[in-house]
Amino acid sequence: MKKNLVVPLILTGMAGSTIYLLSILSAKETLAESQDFTTARVSPTVVNVSTLPTLSAAEATQLRSQSRVLPTQIPGGIARLSRIKANPLSTSEGKLAAQVNRSITPVSAPPNVNTASGTRATSTKNCVGNAATGFAPSDSHGAVGRNHYVEVTNVDLGIYAKTSCTRNRFVSLKTFFGITDPNTTAFDPRAIYDFRNNRYVVTTETRKTSSTDQFQYFAVSQTGDPLGAWNVYRIPISEGSYRFCKKALTDFWDYPNLGYNSNQWFITANNFPTSGASYGVIMTIDKAPTLTGSVPVLRCYGTSSSTRAQVQFNVAPPLDRSTATTAYFLATDSGAGSQLRKYTLNTLTGAMTYNTPIAIPAWTAPPGAPQPTTTLLLDTLDGRIQSNTVQIGNRVYAIHALNVGGRSAIRLYRVNAGTNTAEVRFTYALTGLAAWGPSFAIANTGSTTSGFFAFNYSGSTLNPAAALVARRNDNVGGFPGFTYQTGVPMTNSCQNGTRCRWGDYSATSLDPANLNSAFGVAQFMTGGSQFSWSTKIMGLRP
């Protein structure tokens, strides 16, 4: 066993910079020969949201003057994905999917009204959320707690009163996490709420211009009040010659996703080497220390030299509100596929079982979403699970967008992790419209419980819109729900020719005051520029 390295970590907070000494295992070292993960420790700092300056109009104007589009990273490359979207029948999965999808009957109308056979729903909230301050896409994400809704976007954090929609705080992610370097960008944020501990969690990744340095920031509220103090951690993914959760310093850490179970927080991500195949990683963070501001142990799976201990790209973490200590992670392929890959983690012992295949119907990536008055299409990504999955015992719910009849549609799977089987619970396809960017939440599998999903939809005669709908027991009856905001088309020049960047994900979270009610957040457009986006916070009760 090699000796541990001791390296300095500088954490910058509102009170200044503090130097901590971290004991970190060598990047090639594991705790024992039989183990397949690396570990690290990080030290916390504290930030109090009530003392942070609200983003001023002048600061927002300055940020807009630095407008930039954050690039898309696609496993297998954008060129390959574009070919699949243009001609899905060029793949074996596309040929199989065309046969499977013939039996799907589209939903005849978008969710502008209650459209459920014998069931109805009530809109409980309709709030304008974060808006653009110079970056695109929005990457809107968020979670509802007992009294507040916390929303994160590129590149800001907003805290809203749950009952009145009043925005209590609006700060940049860099201010919140104490990042002062002007050459560093914070992006790809996520926010979730931990029911059992009544805490919010916010994450963001960073990258520094002309540097391989990358950090994953992670914050846990000290109470259920997000306007109070938070325990903040800066996780070095690559810094100087040190790396954690990367196989090489030059690999690009991207698309971090966020989940949890009873005793750990989870962050999954894709890594993109300068050459060679992309790969996935799973990071775990011991939960209990973060609740008190103590030092947690972090583990990373997927960077081992062992061929048996590899993690596929596009892996998604579970959100499990129970006391279970076994976590199931699911990964889709990119562009086309006919199976999920399951990763089973014992969060007490750290033991991981890798790459268990689970058959699903063949699918291909969703085509770009059309808009009125323009030939520009909206980016619908590559068929990945864009938000966390939901784990209830051995059952895991996973939702994604895919191609059905030449348009983007939404499909929900229910995986039985005990038997390694999956069933399609529904495929949501709108007649003549594209639906994409889904996220999903459900409390349990009872016959009176509803599942919820937030998403966007559009068509050649219908502007891009944000919606939230329900489905009783995830596959019973119709889809009662509402369109909460219809925006305008994105008509200006886009990042890659005719493909306009859209928010990489939405978020759906259960209301802790009523588990048969949910909140969602999704993007809409207020103008034709990629930088003219806003977000809608939506509430629904069947």
Side-chain angles (χ1 to χ4, degrees):
M1 179 71 75
K2 296 179 181 179
K3 292 184 178 180
N4 291 0
L5 301 176
V6 178
V7 299
L9 170 67
I10 299 177
L11 291 180
T12 304
M14 295 306 294
S17 297
T18 305
I19 297 179
Y20 298 89
L21 293 181
L22 281 74
S23 175
I24 304 176
L25 293 178
S26 168
K28 295 183 179 179
E29 184 179 1
T30 55
L31 292 176
E33 299 235 346
S34 61
Q35 292 178 329
D36 46 29
F37 52 80
T38 55
T39 67
R41 291 177 182 267
V42 295
S43 297
T45 187
V46 175
V47 62
N48 196 309
V49 170
S50 64
T51 66
L52 297 180
T54 296
L55 189 69
S56 67
E59 290 173 311
T61 300
Q62 182 183 20
L63 283 171
R64 290 189 184 97
S65 70
Q66 304 167 354
S67 294
R68 58 175 296 199
V69 177
L70 300 170
T72 309
Q73 301 290 334
I74 299 293
I78 292 176
R80 171 184 172 272
L81 178 62
S82 298
R83 289 194 298 270
I84 294 174
K85 289 187 179 229
N87 184 15
L89 294 179
S90 64
T91 67
S92 58
E93 293 90 348
K95 294 172 184 176
L96 291 171
Q99 300 175 23
V100 171
N101 294 338
R102 288 196 187 104
S103 61
I104 295 173
T105 302
V107 177
S108 60
N112 290 320
V113 294
N114 287 303
T115 54
S117 305
T119 62
R120 299 185 66 80
T122 300
S123 171
T124 60
K125 203 61 57 184
N126 190 334
C127 314
V128 175
N130 293 3
T133 56
F135 288 77
S138 64
D139 289 356
S140 57
H141 206 260
V144 65
R146 296 179 184 177
N147 299 303
H148 298 88
Y149 191 89
V150 173
E151 183 188 5
V152 288
T153 49
N154 286 327
V155 286
D156 304 299
L157 178 146
I159 300 175
Y160 298 83
K162 180 178 174 181
T163 55
S164 66
C165 293
T166 301
R167 188 163 72 185
N168 299 133
R169 219 70 183 167
F170 185 61
V171 300
S172 73
L173 290 170
K174 290 180 67 172
T175 296
F176 176 72
F177 284 106
I179 304 167
T180 58
D181 180 5
N183 297 315
T184 293
T185 301
F187 60 102
D188 280 3
R190 304 270 184 166
I192 57 176
Y193 174 76
D194 181 354
F195 281 68
R196 186 168 297 277
N197 293 290
N198 186 27
R199 306 293 182 91
Y200 292 90
V201 180
V202 169
T203 65
T204 191
E205 67 167 302
T206 66
R207 191 174 194 184
K208 186 176 181 179
T209 304
S210 302
S211 170
T212 60
D213 288 0
Q214 283 193 272
F215 297 91
Q216 181 69 47
Y217 284 81
F218 179 85
V220 181
S221 64
Q222 291 188 355
T223 68
D225 182 5
L227 295 171
W230 294 65
N231 300 322
V232 176
Y233 299 84
R234 189 183 78 159
I235 304 168
I237 304 300
S238 53
E239 183 180 26
S241 61
Y242 170 73
R243 57 185 167 87
F244 174 65
C245 245
K246 282 186 177 184
K247 294 181 179 180
L249 288 170
T250 54
D251 292 355
F252 178 63
W253 166 277
D254 188 53
Y255 211 82
N257 204 339
L258 180 62
Y260 67 81
N261 76 346
S262 62
N263 64 326
Q264 289 189 330
W265 311 111
F266 308 124
I267 298 176
T268 61
N270 289 333
N271 271 313
F272 293 88
T274 54
S275 62
S278 54
Y279 60 96
V281 287
I282 297 171
M283 182 192 298
T284 66
I285 303 170
D286 288 345
K287 182 186 286 188
T290 67
L291 303 179
T292 61
S294 302
V295 179
V297 172
L298 286 63
R299 291 175 175 170
C300 183
Y301 301 81
T303 58
S304 169
S305 59
S306 170
T307 56
R308 72 170 185 83
Q310 302 300 305
V311 175
Q312 182 172 287
F313 48 75
N314 289 354
V315 62
L319 193 155
D320 184 356
R321 296 183 299 105
S322 76
T323 59
T325 55
T326 298
Y328 303 106
F329 301 78
L330 297 177
T332 66
D333 289 304
S334 177
S338 58
Q339 66 177 12
L340 299 169
R341 289 189 179 272
K342 185 189 76 172
Y343 302 84
T344 304
L345 176 64
N346 184 320
T347 58
L348 292 179
T349 66
M352 176 78 82
T353 301
Y354 292 81
N355 289 304
T356 303
I358 299 175
I360 57 175
W363 61 270
T364 61
Q371 308 177 90
T373 70
T374 179
T375 58
L376 296 176
L377 302 175
L378 302 176
D379 187 10
T380 54
L381 288 184
D382 62 348
R384 70 186 66 183
I385 302 168
Q386 293 170 261
S387 203
N388 58 267
T389 63
V390 178
Q391 182 176 327
I392 304 172
N394 281 340
R395 291 181 172 181
V396 185
Y397 292 86
I399 198 166
H400 74 147
L402 71 165
N403 186 332
V404 173
R407 295 191 182 275
S408 181
I410 294 168
R411 179 168 290 168
L412 178 73
Y413 306 97
R414 188 173 70 184
V415 173
N416 187 321
T419 61
N420 295 321
T421 57
E423 59 178 315
V424 174
R425 299 302 281 172
F426 64 73
T427 297
Y428 184 80
L430 292 169
T431 301
L433 301 174
W436 77 96
S439 52
F440 182 77
I442 190 170
N444 56 54
T445 56
S447 60
T448 61
T449 296
S450 291
F452 302 85
F453 60 103
F455 63 101
N456 288 108
Y457 70 88
S458 71
S460 58
T461 60
L462 192 61
N463 289 343
L468 176 64
V469 303
R471 179 78 157 174
R472 196 178 72 204
N473 194 24
D474 73 64
N475 77 334
V476 176
F479 295 91
F482 296 92
T483 297
Y484 288 78
Q485 184 72 53
T486 299
V488 301
M490 195 184 300
T491 55
N492 292 3
S493 59
C494 294
Q495 180 191 16
N496 291 306
T498 61
R499 186 176 57 85
C500 299
R501 292 284 279 122
W502 192 265
D504 281 345
Y505 35 78
S506 63
T508 305
S509 58
L510 297 176
D511 185 347
N514 178 0
L515 295 183
N516 205 34
S517 178
F519 279 61
V521 66
Q523 173 181 323
F524 68 95
M525 299 302 298
T526 59
S529 165
Q530 294 181 96
F531 306 105
S532 298
W533 56 260
S534 186
T535 59
K536 182 62 67 165
I537 299 170
M538 309 168 283
L540 183 68
R541 183 180 68 249

